[in-house]
């Protein structure tokens, strides 16, 4: 049993800034000894993301918009040329148009639904396919999900439907990739103040209520997601696949 990732190559998708869950996971993987490739979405985030990524010794930065097949193809051919093989893939990204996270779920638009599922769900399938080709020695694929996939969280709306599809995709991918010694799991994190959460109306109240109701009587620290990321990426979790692991201070177990 080992949490050590020395000699392992990991690619992490979804760093926007220092608050990103992807960044915490990347730092933790680095501390465990992994060689890191880290991606950011676009030119808008480039300056901040590149500076951050290059501050991790040995880490390399790549731009990838996961809604573009060409970007995914280019990044994985760069990874193949640079590292030859891959052991860990972290998928830490999601998007729905802002208006879908405000009003009624009943008013979800066709385009909002399509975008949410394309960026937040299909991308896991596309990245897993590209990564699996390079995981000749087996590997571990991780994604990030949220409780709104299974219970109604007001205003999470179409993202809840997308996260339900994401969790289900984790099971189908785990089933198919198991024979190649590739594991696929999701971390269901409690609410954390990141860029993706900051714009949400009522986030402050939600964090307060989460801290009051969770068994541990507090909110999740982003570093606690990083360490579970290392666990799921490493041989310490070698018999765990297709699973959703809660990193939420126990919030999900409560009925009242
Ligand atoms: P974040 O804003 O730091 O990360 C989201 C990332 O998605 C950003 O880096 C953004 O650039 C990227 N992204 C969006 N569209 C993209 C595209 N087309 N191509 C490439 N990248 C794209 O916020 P975060 O909270 O760290 O979110 C990471 C993951 O964690 C998401 O899947 C989110 O749903 C999940 N999550 C977040 C929380 C929370 O409360 N913050 C809780 C549970 C799960
Ligand atoms: O998965 C998420 C957020 C994902 C997200 C955030 C944004 C904000 C900016 C996806 N798309 C967008 N689009 C934008 O334009 N979380 C788990 C954080 C989150 O989001 C909520 C939450 C929580 C928690 C939205 C409503 C209610 C609760």
């Amino acid at each position: 049993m080992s949490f050590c990732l020395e000699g392992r190559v990991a690619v992490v998708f979804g760093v926007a800034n220092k608050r990103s869950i992807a960044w915490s996971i990347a730092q933790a993987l680095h501390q465990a000894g992994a060689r890191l490739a880290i991606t950011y979405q676009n030119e808008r985030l480039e300056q901040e993301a590149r500076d951050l990524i290059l501050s991790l010794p040995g880490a390399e930065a790549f731009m990838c918009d996961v809604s573009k097949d060409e970007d995914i193809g280019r990044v994985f051919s760069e990874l193949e040329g640079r590292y030859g093989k891959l052991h860990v893939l972290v998928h830490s990204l999601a998007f729905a148009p802002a208006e879908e996270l405000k009003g009624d779920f009943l008013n979800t638009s066709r385009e909002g639904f399509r975008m949410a599922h394309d960026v937040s769900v299909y991308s896991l399938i596309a990245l897993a396919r590209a990564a699996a080709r390079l995981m000749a020695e087996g590997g571990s694929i991780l994604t990030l999900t949220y409780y709104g996939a299974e219970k109604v969280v007001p205003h999470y709306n179409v993202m809840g439907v997308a996260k339900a599809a994401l969790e289900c995709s984790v099971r189908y991918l785990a089933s198919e990739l198991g024979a190649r010694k590739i594991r696929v799991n999701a971390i269901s994190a409690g609410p954390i103040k990141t860029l993706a959460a900051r714009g949400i109306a009522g986030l402050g109240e939600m964090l307060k209520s989460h801290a009051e109701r969770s068994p541990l009587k507090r909110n999740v620290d982003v570093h606690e997601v990083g360490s579970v990321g290392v666990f799921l990426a490493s041989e310490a979790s070698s018999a765990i696949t297709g699973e959703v692991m809660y990193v939420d201070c126990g919030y999900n177990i409560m009925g009242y």
Side-chain angles (χ1 to χ4, degrees):
M1 194 279 288
S2 172
F3 288 86
C4 178
L5 293 171
E6 248 148 64
R8 306 246 131 193
V9 180
V11 60
V12 177
F13 284 79
V15 168
N17 58 36
K18 65 177 181 350
R19 289 171 184 260
S20 296
I21 294 174
W23 177 240
S24 268
I25 297 176
Q27 285 179 296
L29 295 173
H30 169 75
Q31 276 156 26
R35 270 179 91 189
L36 279 177
I38 303 177
T39 81
Y40 56 91
Q41 184 183 355
N42 54 28
E43 288 91 352
R44 190 169 47 82
L45 299 172
E46 182 153 45
Q47 183 82 63
E48 193 171 356
R50 274 197 98 87
D51 287 352
L52 201 58
I53 293 164
L54 300 178
S55 75
L56 261 194
E60 295 189 58
F62 302 86
M63 195 192 298
C64 185
D65 181 333
V66 299
S67 66
K68 297 177 179 160
D69 287 333
E70 331 64 277
D71 273 31
I72 296 176
R74 176 184 46 74
V75 165
F76 277 90
S77 58
E78 284 173 12
L79 293 177
E80 183 171 19
R82 190 73 186 81
Y83 307 97
K85 58 184 178 175
L86 194 60
H87 304 93
V88 177
L89 166 74
V90 178
H91 173 275
S92 181
L93 45 88
F95 180 77
E99 57 271 23
E100 304 293 348
L101 304 175
K102 283 186 190 131
D104 291 349
F105 176 66
L106 194 60
N107 290 331
T108 302
S109 70
R110 191 182 294 277
E111 181 57 9
F113 182 96
R114 191 200 64 72
M115 281 182 80
H117 285 74
D118 185 21
V119 174
S120 317
V121 189
Y122 181 75
S123 63
L124 177 70
I125 304 166
L127 295 181
R129 182 167 58 242
R133 274 203 332 115
L134 303 182
M135 290 180 166
E137 301 170 358
S140 174
I141 297 175
L142 288 187
T143 187
L144 271 297
T145 186
Y146 176 61
Y147 191 54
E150 48 184 302
K151 292 287 190 281
V152 173
V153 173
H155 305 306
Y156 199 57
N157 295 1
V158 74
M159 270 312 305
V161 180
K163 290 301 192 188
L166 181 74
E167 292 180 10
C168 191
S169 302
V170 163
R171 294 186 281 273
Y172 277 87
L173 290 170
S175 165
E176 281 184 14
L177 293 172
R180 293 155 68 177
K181 294 188 168 48
I182 300 171
R183 299 181 293 108
V184 188
N185 292 290
I187 295 175
S188 186
I192 300 173
K193 230 183 216 177
T194 60
L195 183 64
R198 229 177 324 170
I200 306 310
L203 182 77
E205 273 171 66
M206 178 179 254
L207 287 167
K208 190 165 172 274
S209 142
H210 194 277
E212 279 165 9
R213 295 181 192 202
S214 67
L216 296 179
K217 301 293 168 220
R218 62 175 178 84
N219 286 304
V220 176
D221 183 284
V222 72
H223 298 101
E224 297 175 305
V225 181
S227 57
V228 174
V230 170
F231 168 64
L232 288 174
S234 75
E235 285 304 297
S237 62
S238 52
I240 300 178
T241 194
E243 210 61 66
V244 176
M245 184 158 285
Y246 292 85
V247 181
D248 67 346
C249 297
Y251 185 88
N252 78 95
I253 69 166
M254 301 305 290
Y256 178 62

